[in-house]
Amino acid sequence: MWAVIKIDKKKFFSFKQDLNIKFGGGAEVYRPKLLINKIKKNKLYKKEFDLLGDYLFCYHTSFIQKGLMDQLKFTKGVKYLLNGSISSQKEIKKFIYKCKSLENKKGYLKQIFYDLEINEYYKFSSGPFTDKIFKIKELQKNKINILMGNIKTNISKKEFLFTPL
């Protein structure tokens, strides 16, 4: 069963070690991540972001038992354990499957993770247009026609990272 846990990011490795000690191994931890490239003063900086912030997914077959789920609350690094994860297993599995299927070879989510919509606003997270806002006018297979202010242009889906507003 999957559990949704809020952790202290600084204690992530302690959390994993304590988890293996308490539950005897076999636990799977999943944290979807994004890698953002930013250009600042003509230098390229790469920054890793957790998509869910302080939250992560943890799977173990013994989490079905109520007592063991309560024991998870007292694992090192755990700030909070979401209660609704028992009834939301189908949605959690679907989300994790979508994330894993859209990861690149290094384990980071690809840009196509976001469902793009026409006439919606987005903000560039990488490239020369970092932090600029644009509107999607048309979606094609590998290109997106955008409107940035009064400028109409095409961009590659694979070349830039952007986030919805």
Side-chain angles (χ1 to χ4, degrees):
M1 183 175 93
W2 286 98
V4 182
I5 304 168
K6 184 174 184 176
I7 63 161
D8 184 357
K9 286 185 180 183
K10 295 175 186 171
K11 298 180 181 176
F12 175 69
F13 294 106
S14 299
F15 165 75
K16 283 183 75 171
Q17 288 174 343
D18 199 27
L19 186 68
N20 286 330
I21 291 169
K22 282 186 178 182
F23 297 100
E28 181 184 347
V29 175
Y30 183 66
R31 297 166 69 182
K33 297 178 185 177
L34 288 169
L35 184 67
I36 305 229
N37 298 322
K38 285 196 172 194
I39 298 174
K40 205 177 210 183
K41 296 183 181 178
N42 291 332
K43 288 189 179 181
L44 179 67
Y45 295 97
K46 294 184 178 189
K47 190 157 186 178
E48 184 178 282
F49 287 99
D50 287 322
L51 183 68
L52 303 174
D54 293 344
Y55 291 90
L56 58 80
F57 298 104
C58 186
Y59 178 83
H60 199 280
T61 54
S62 63
F63 287 166
I64 293 174
Q65 300 169 359
K66 178 72 171 151
L68 290 177
M69 187 68 113
D70 289 338
Q71 201 175 31
L72 188 60
K73 292 178 186 177
F74 303 107
T75 306
K76 288 180 187 174
V78 173
K79 288 183 180 178
Y80 184 73
L81 182 67
L82 288 180
N83 296 326
S85 60
I86 295 170
S87 60
S88 303
Q89 289 298 301
K90 205 180 256 186
E91 290 85 7
I92 292 171
K93 288 177 188 175
K94 185 178 177 184
F95 178 77
I96 291 172
Y97 176 76
K98 180 179 179 182
C99 289
K100 285 185 176 184
S101 67
L102 294 174
E103 285 180 349
N104 63 15
K105 293 176 185 175
K106 295 180 181 177
Y108 297 107
L109 292 173
K110 297 177 188 175
Q111 179 61 47
I112 57 173
F113 173 75
Y114 299 110
D115 293 327
L116 303 176
E117 295 183 26
I118 296 175
N119 292 326
E120 291 295 322
Y121 289 94
Y122 295 86
K123 183 170 124 178
F124 282 106
S125 300
S126 68
F129 302 117
T130 302
D131 296 329
K132 302 290 184 206
I133 297 172
F134 65 94
K135 184 178 186 178
I136 294 181
K137 297 308 282 177
E138 184 182 348
L139 294 170
Q140 297 173 358
K141 185 177 179 181
N142 294 324
K143 290 185 179 180
I144 304 171
N145 294 335
I146 65 167
L147 179 64
M148 219 168 52
N150 294 333
I151 301 169
K152 292 181 184 178
T153 188
N154 297 328
I155 61 169
S156 170
K157 284 185 180 179
K158 297 176 184 177
E159 208 170 310
F160 299 101
L161 288 176
F162 45 88
T163 57
L165 288 181

mmCIF file of all heavy atoms in Angstrom, residues 73-91:
data_model
loop_
_atom_site.group_PDB
_atom_site.id
_atom_site.type_symbol
_atom_site.label_atom_id
_atom_site.label_comp_id
_atom_site.label_asym_id
_atom_site.label_seq_id
_atom_site.Cartn_x
_atom_site.Cartn_y
_atom_site.Cartn_z
ATOM 1 N N LYS A 73 4.532 6.951 11.462
ATOM 2 C CA LYS A 73 4.492 8.341 11.941
ATOM 3 C C LYS A 73 5.706 8.694 12.784
ATOM 4 O O LYS A 73 6.106 9.850 12.859
ATOM 5 C CB LYS A 73 3.235 8.582 12.776
ATOM 6 C CG LYS A 73 1.951 8.540 12.016
ATOM 7 C CD LYS A 73 0.773 8.733 12.944
ATOM 8 C CE LYS A 73 -0.534 8.540 12.224
ATOM 9 N NZ LYS A 73 -1.685 8.645 13.121
ATOM 10 N N PHE A 74 6.286 7.688 13.444
ATOM 11 C CA PHE A 74 7.393 7.929 14.364
ATOM 12 C C PHE A 74 8.753 7.574 13.758
ATOM 13 O O PHE A 74 9.721 7.365 14.468
ATOM 14 C CB PHE A 74 7.156 7.160 15.666
ATOM 15 C CG PHE A 74 5.843 7.519 16.308
ATOM 16 C CD1 PHE A 74 4.777 6.645 16.283
ATOM 17 C CD2 PHE A 74 5.667 8.769 16.888
ATOM 18 C CE1 PHE A 74 3.564 6.989 16.850
ATOM 19 C CE2 PHE A 74 4.458 9.123 17.458
ATOM 20 C CZ PHE A 74 3.397 8.235 17.441
ATOM 21 N N THR A 75 8.816 7.534 12.441
ATOM 22 C CA THR A 75 10.073 7.302 11.732
ATOM 23 C C THR A 75 10.840 8.619 11.656
ATOM 24 O O THR A 75 10.233 9.686 11.531
ATOM 25 C CB THR A 75 9.786 6.764 10.309
ATOM 26 O OG1 THR A 75 8.947 5.622 10.419
ATOM 27 C CG2 THR A 75 11.049 6.386 9.584
ATOM 28 N N LYS A 76 12.157 8.576 11.741
ATOM 29 C CA LYS A 76 12.986 9.784 11.688
ATOM 30 C C LYS A 76 12.702 10.562 10.413
ATOM 31 O O LYS A 76 12.648 9.997 9.326
ATOM 32 C CB LYS A 76 14.468 9.417 11.704
ATOM 33 C CG LYS A 76 14.976 8.925 13.015
ATOM 34 C CD LYS A 76 16.451 8.600 12.916
ATOM 35 C CE LYS A 76 16.931 7.933 14.182
ATOM 36 N NZ LYS A 76 18.319 7.474 14.060
ATOM 37 N N GLY A 77 12.540 11.866 10.544
ATOM 38 C CA GLY A 77 12.348 12.735 9.395
ATOM 39 C C GLY A 77 10.904 12.941 8.985
ATOM 40 O O GLY A 77 10.616 13.808 8.166
ATOM 41 N N VAL A 78 9.971 12.179 9.530
ATOM 42 C CA VAL A 78 8.559 12.316 9.153
ATOM 43 C C VAL A 78 7.948 13.490 9.910
ATOM 44 O O VAL A 78 7.987 13.545 11.132
ATOM 45 C CB VAL A 78 7.769 11.020 9.439
ATOM 46 C CG1 VAL A 78 6.282 11.227 9.200
ATOM 47 C CG2 VAL A 78 8.280 9.884 8.581
ATOM 48 N N LYS A 79 7.376 14.432 9.161
ATOM 49 C CA LYS A 79 6.668 15.554 9.772
ATOM 50 C C LYS A 79 5.182 15.227 9.928
ATOM 51 O O LYS A 79 4.558 15.590 10.913
ATOM 52 C CB LYS A 79 6.793 16.803 8.900
ATOM 53 C CG LYS A 79 8.142 17.443 8.887
ATOM 54 C CD LYS A 79 8.082 18.703 8.028
ATOM 55 C CE LYS A 79 9.391 19.422 7.963
ATOM 56 N NZ LYS A 79 9.316 20.607 7.096
ATOM 57 N N TYR A 80 4.643 14.568 8.901
ATOM 58 C CA TYR A 80 3.198 14.346 8.871
ATOM 59 C C TYR A 80 2.893 13.175 7.947
ATOM 60 O O TYR A 80 3.570 12.977 6.949
ATOM 61 C CB TYR A 80 2.511 15.624 8.356
ATOM 62 C CG TYR A 80 1.010 15.579 8.364
ATOM 63 C CD1 TYR A 80 0.292 15.667 9.544
ATOM 64 C CD2 TYR A 80 0.301 15.445 7.180
ATOM 65 C CE1 TYR A 80 -1.084 15.630 9.548
ATOM 66 C CE2 TYR A 80 -1.077 15.415 7.174
ATOM 67 C CZ TYR A 80 -1.763 15.505 8.361
ATOM 68 O OH TYR A 80 -3.132 15.462 8.363
ATOM 69 N N LEU A 81 1.869 12.433 8.271
ATOM 70 C CA LEU A 81 1.407 11.313 7.457
ATOM 71 C C LEU A 81 -0.024 11.609 7.024
ATOM 72 O O LEU A 81 -0.898 11.803 7.871
ATOM 73 C CB LEU A 81 1.471 10.024 8.279
ATOM 74 C CG LEU A 81 1.077 8.735 7.602
ATOM 75 C CD1 LEU A 81 2.076 8.388 6.503
ATOM 76 C CD2 LEU A 81 1.039 7.612 8.616
ATOM 77 N N LEU A 82 -0.264 11.690 5.724
ATOM 78 C CA LEU A 82 -1.617 11.988 5.235
ATOM 79 C C LEU A 82 -2.542 10.813 5.485
ATOM 80 O O LEU A 82 -2.209 9.662 5.176
ATOM 81 C CB LEU A 82 -1.590 12.304 3.740
ATOM 82 C CG LEU A 82 -0.971 13.636 3.347
ATOM 83 C CD1 LEU A 82 -1.009 13.809 1.842
ATOM 84 C CD2 LEU A 82 -1.681 14.789 4.006
ATOM 85 N N ASN A 83 -3.709 11.093 6.039
ATOM 86 C CA ASN A 83 -4.649 10.037 6.416
ATOM 87 C C ASN A 83 -5.425 9.452 5.250
ATOM 88 O O ASN A 83 -5.784 8.294 5.266
ATOM 89 C CB ASN A 83 -5.649 10.570 7.461
ATOM 90 C CG ASN A 83 -4.964 10.949 8.749
ATOM 91 O OD1 ASN A 83 -3.995 10.309 9.142
ATOM 92 N ND2 ASN A 83 -5.452 11.988 9.400
ATOM 93 N N GLY A 84 -5.714 10.213 4.215
ATOM 94 C CA GLY A 84 -6.571 9.759 3.122
ATOM 95 C C GLY A 84 -5.917 8.833 2.127
ATOM 96 O O GLY A 84 -6.540 8.441 1.134
ATOM 97 N N SER A 85 -4.679 8.454 2.356
ATOM 98 C CA SER A 85 -3.979 7.651 1.358
ATOM 99 C C SER A 85 -4.554 6.243 1.232
ATOM 100 O O SER A 85 -4.428 5.621 0.189
ATOM 101 C CB SER A 85 -2.485 7.596 1.660
ATOM 102 O OG SER A 85 -2.246 7.022 2.918
ATOM 103 N N ILE A 86 -5.194 5.738 2.255
ATOM 104 C CA ILE A 86 -5.773 4.387 2.203
ATOM 105 C C ILE A 86 -6.913 4.337 1.185
ATOM 106 O O ILE A 86 -6.987 3.420 0.374
ATOM 107 C CB ILE A 86 -6.279 3.955 3.600
ATOM 108 C CG1 ILE A 86 -5.094 3.831 4.557
ATOM 109 C CG2 ILE A 86 -7.046 2.645 3.519
ATOM 110 C CD1 ILE A 86 -5.492 3.641 6.002
ATOM 111 N N SER A 87 -7.753 5.351 1.195
ATOM 112 C CA SER A 87 -8.903 5.353 0.289
ATOM 113 C C SER A 87 -8.559 5.866 -1.110
ATOM 114 O O SER A 87 -9.384 5.790 -2.008
ATOM 115 C CB SER A 87 -10.033 6.201 0.886
ATOM 116 O OG SER A 87 -9.591 7.529 1.067
ATOM 117 N N SER A 88 -7.357 6.396 -1.305
ATOM 118 C CA SER A 88 -6.975 6.981 -2.591
ATOM 119 C C SER A 88 -5.904 6.178 -3.315
ATOM 120 O O SER A 88 -5.161 6.733 -4.124
ATOM 121 C CB SER A 88 -6.470 8.411 -2.369
ATOM 122 O OG SER A 88 -7.436 9.183 -1.724
ATOM 123 N N GLN A 89 -5.802 4.901 -3.065
ATOM 124 C CA GLN A 89 -4.748 4.079 -3.659
ATOM 125 C C GLN A 89 -4.792 4.081 -5.185
ATOM 126 O O GLN A 89 -3.758 4.149 -5.838
ATOM 127 C CB GLN A 89 -4.829 2.642 -3.132
ATOM 128 C CG GLN A 89 -4.411 2.504 -1.694
ATOM 129 C CD GLN A 89 -2.969 2.902 -1.476
ATOM 130 O OE1 GLN A 89 -2.062 2.332 -2.063
ATOM 131 N NE2 GLN A 89 -2.746 3.889 -0.624
ATOM 132 N N LYS A 90 -5.988 4.036 -5.752
ATOM 133 C CA LYS A 90 -6.117 4.009 -7.208
ATOM 134 C C LYS A 90 -5.563 5.277 -7.846
ATOM 135 O O LYS A 90 -4.816 5.218 -8.823
ATOM 136 C CB LYS A 90 -7.606 3.850 -7.578
ATOM 137 C CG LYS A 90 -7.851 3.242 -8.924
ATOM 138 C CD LYS A 90 -9.330 3.118 -9.207
ATOM 139 C CE LYS A 90 -9.749 1.685 -9.032
ATOM 140 N NZ LYS A 90 -11.143 1.469 -9.437
ATOM 141 N N GLU A 91 -5.883 6.437 -7.263
ATOM 142 C CA GLU A 91 -5.407 7.711 -7.786
ATOM 143 C C GLU A 91 -3.893 7.856 -7.591
ATOM 144 O O GLU A 91 -3.193 8.373 -8.462
ATOM 145 C CB GLU A 91 -6.126 8.890 -7.116
ATOM 146 C CG GLU A 91 -7.577 9.025 -7.510
ATOM 147 C CD GLU A 91 -8.508 8.141 -6.676
ATOM 148 O OE1 GLU A 91 -8.040 7.516 -5.695
ATOM 149 O OE2 GLU A 91 -9.688 8.061 -7.017
#
